[in-house]
Amino acid sequence: MSLKETYAEVIAWYKEIWLVNSMNQVLSWDLQVNLPKKGLERRSEQLAFLDGLVHRKMTDPAMVAKVGELAAHSTALTADGKVNIREIKREVDRATKVPTALVEEISRHNSQAQMAWIEARQDNNYARFAPFLAKTVRLRKEEAAALGYAERPYDAMLDLHEPFATEGSIRELLTDLKGRLVPFLQRILSAPRYDARLLLAGRRYPIEKQKKFSRLVLRKMGFDFEGGRIDVSAHPFCGGNKGDVRLTTRFFVDDPRPHLFGTIHEAGHGLYEQGLPDPHLGTPLGDAVSLGVHESQSRFWENIMGRSLSFWKYFYPKFQRTFAKSLRDLSLENFYHCVNVVEPSLIRVEADEVTYNLHIILRFEIERAMVAGGVAIDDLPALWNAKMKEYLDIAVPDNTNGLLQDVHWSLGALGYFPTYTIGNLYAAQLWEKIRADIPDVLALVEKGRFTAILRWLRKNIHVHGKRYAGNELIERVTGKKPSAEPFMNYLDEKYTPLYRL
């Protein structure tokens, strides 16, 4: 068989694996959106079967040998072929190190843990979830031991979400950012405060009107509703693949911000998925490069666009008309202040741009302690509450608003949280470059014209798939190594005039 024929066979095999994974994603979405409680056991078995099937296909000795052959002769491949085989080889190497039985056990456990988390969160009952979290940590450590790591098990967990990241590199990044953020936050907290209750007190935002307005925003952003949909879940997320992107959201009738900005955030993920190159769908070149880059897209749209004055100069008159009874007396200036209030808060997904990364630092430190065995699972709420007090000076009233607020640990996604901060830093660095490349970009946003921005993201980020590692992609696009500096410059430019610092 020629090298070209071997490559075609490997790609066809890999696309079958991609199809099974796409089925898994839809079933996982349904688990969080539609599944009746009594369907959990059957669904967990379905997902475990699919994960096991993928693992068995990925570790098929004949195909593993063919991937190895192609990797050994990669100089004879096209540029695209080199990328695909490089990434497939990386996945095969990981898969062959982890027993199928462990893959199935992790999948089965994650399905059960999700439902336990939902119930525990609803009932403010951490004891209901604690045994599941303990097992999650144990299983992920077993997986990390099988995969291998440079220094610590947490390195292997991070690598699954942000390739080539390590605990040391993330710790260095977050330590530098924390050193810059804390004094900046203190300057803001010492300035005259804005009262977000202007947006809340006595005002109501009917759910149907929230839905209507957010769909208007998403259409303007460029989200394709013929290739995607929005549903409700306990925790907002984006799933699915190009052509079938699944967004979820949630609503509060007394506060429109969680739905609006959460939906914009998930639509940012969705736009990335919808922008991946069609010819490469089902291969690494048709897949997102990393969660850090994925988060750069969602945080860019949610914050840099969605909380900007230019954005609301266009959308606020429409928002005000949509909620005429509630907002007739609230000016654009006051509304802009309300959606950019800097105030330490309990909930990560509702945190402002300045304090948000302190939420991530807290989770990173707790994850490290969990994995290293430095804290007992039963003691996690106390540790969480102590760090919330230390970093944000907030007393946590209950576990629902504390340790149980995020879905990630129920999904087994240890090592995921740092990608949010990586995304924030990448987003600011991309925005700096967008403004240089599109000098009139703010004027375009004020007119509700986002096509140029989306086209820029398609050309510079989405089209590359996994061609480059995340940090390499950002450096190639912006001409600078990723750092905290553009993010801090962005905060300073925005919040210094807002708070008259």
Side-chain angles (χ1 to χ4, degrees), residues 403-435:
L403 187 70
L404 292 174
Q405 67 180 262
D406 292 303
V407 70
H408 303 64
W409 291 341
S410 77
L411 299 170
L414 298 176
Y416 191 122
F417 281 118
T419 66
Y420 289 112
T421 288
I422 292 170
N424 283 330
L425 303 189
Y426 286 177
Q429 198 157 326
L430 292 174
W431 177 229
E432 188 178 78
K433 180 62 173 169
I434 289 171
R435 291 178 69 177

Side-chain angles (χ1 to χ4, degrees), residues 444-459:
L444 293 174
V445 173
E446 287 184 19
K447 297 174 182 176
R449 294 165 59 185
F450 300 97
T451 303
I453 294 172
L454 184 57
R455 188 185 300 120
W456 190 96
L457 293 171
R458 295 272 195 254
K459 176 184 176 182

Side-chain angles (χ1 to χ4, degrees), residues 217-400:
V217 172
L218 267 55
R219 287 192 181 94
K220 277 289 182 180
M221 287 167 53
F223 185 79
D224 177 10
F225 278 98
E226 291 187 357
R229 56 179 290 143
I230 306 177
D231 295 274
V232 176
S233 67
H235 192 291
F237 67 90
C238 172
N241 304 104
K242 185 168 188 176
D244 184 17
V245 174
R246 308 291 179 100
L247 312 181
T248 73
T249 188
R250 58 184 176 179
F251 297 93
F252 299 91
V253 294
D254 59 346
D255 188 350
R257 293 172 300 177
H259 167 70
L260 178 59
F261 294 111
T263 303
I264 294 174
H265 176 100
E266 300 308 334
H269 285 301
L271 287 172
Y272 188 5
E273 292 293 329
Q274 292 181 342
L276 291 168
D278 284 319
H280 298 295
L281 194 63
T283 74
L285 277 170
D287 197 6
V289 57
S290 73
L291 285 179
V293 174
H294 231 309
E295 289 301 330
S296 77
Q297 304 304 284
S298 58
R299 298 295 283 176
F300 171 82
W301 286 104
E302 175 192 1
N303 289 329
I304 295 178
M305 285 291 97
R307 296 182 192 269
S308 70
L309 183 58
S310 298
F311 184 93
W312 286 106
K313 281 183 178 178
Y314 176 77
F315 279 112
Y316 189 61
K318 298 168 180 57
F319 191 70
Q320 199 172 33
R321 286 196 298 271
T322 301
F323 301 102
K325 291 183 179 179
S326 293
L327 295 178
R328 63 168 61 96
D329 62 333
L330 193 67
S331 68
L332 168 61
E333 180 184 13
N334 283 335
F335 177 82
Y336 175 61
H337 289 157
C338 286
V339 299
N340 286 290
V341 166
V342 175
E343 186 172 28
S345 58
L346 285 165
I347 307 300
R348 174 188 63 86
V349 296
E350 296 165 16
D352 60 80
E353 295 176 277
V354 179
T355 62
Y356 182 92
N357 292 300
L358 295 175
H359 287 265
I360 300 305
I361 292 168
L362 176 153
R363 287 155 175 78
F364 170 68
E365 293 177 353
I366 290 177
E367 282 191 340
R368 288 174 57 211
M370 273 198 296
V371 173
V375 59
I377 295 297
D378 289 343
D379 295 335
L380 285 176
L383 178 61
W384 179 288
N385 297 349
K387 286 185 176 292
M388 284 293 290
K389 184 66 178 175
E390 177 186 356
Y391 295 164
L392 295 166
D393 195 26
I394 287 181
V396 180
D398 52 47
N399 289 320
T400 293

Side-chain angles (χ1 to χ4, degrees), residues 205-219:
Y205 302 89
I207 289 174
E208 286 304 316
K209 290 186 177 182
Q210 290 191 51
K211 285 182 182 178
K212 181 179 179 181
F213 183 78
S214 65
R215 284 176 175 271
L216 167 67
V217 172
L218 267 55
R219 287 192 181 94

Side-chain angles (χ1 to χ4, degrees), residues 31-32 105-115 117 129 132-144 147 153-154 156-158 160-161 291 367 370-371 406-417:
L31 172 69
Q32 298 190 56
E105 185 178 5
I106 288 173
S107 177
R108 189 178 298 109
H109 170 70
N110 287 348
S111 299
Q112 296 165 351
Q114 285 178 64
M115 296 305 291
W117 167 77
F129 181 59
F132 291 89
L133 181 55
K135 186 173 181 180
T136 292
V137 174
R138 176 177 65 79
L139 291 174
R140 289 301 182 183
K141 288 177 73 172
E142 287 183 31
E143 180 185 44
L147 290 169
Y154 194 62
M157 300 176 192
L158 282 166
L160 293 173
H161 305 297
L291 285 179
E367 282 191 340
M370 273 198 296
V371 173
D406 292 303
V407 70
H408 303 64
W409 291 341
S410 77
L411 299 170
L414 298 176
Y416 191 122
F417 281 118

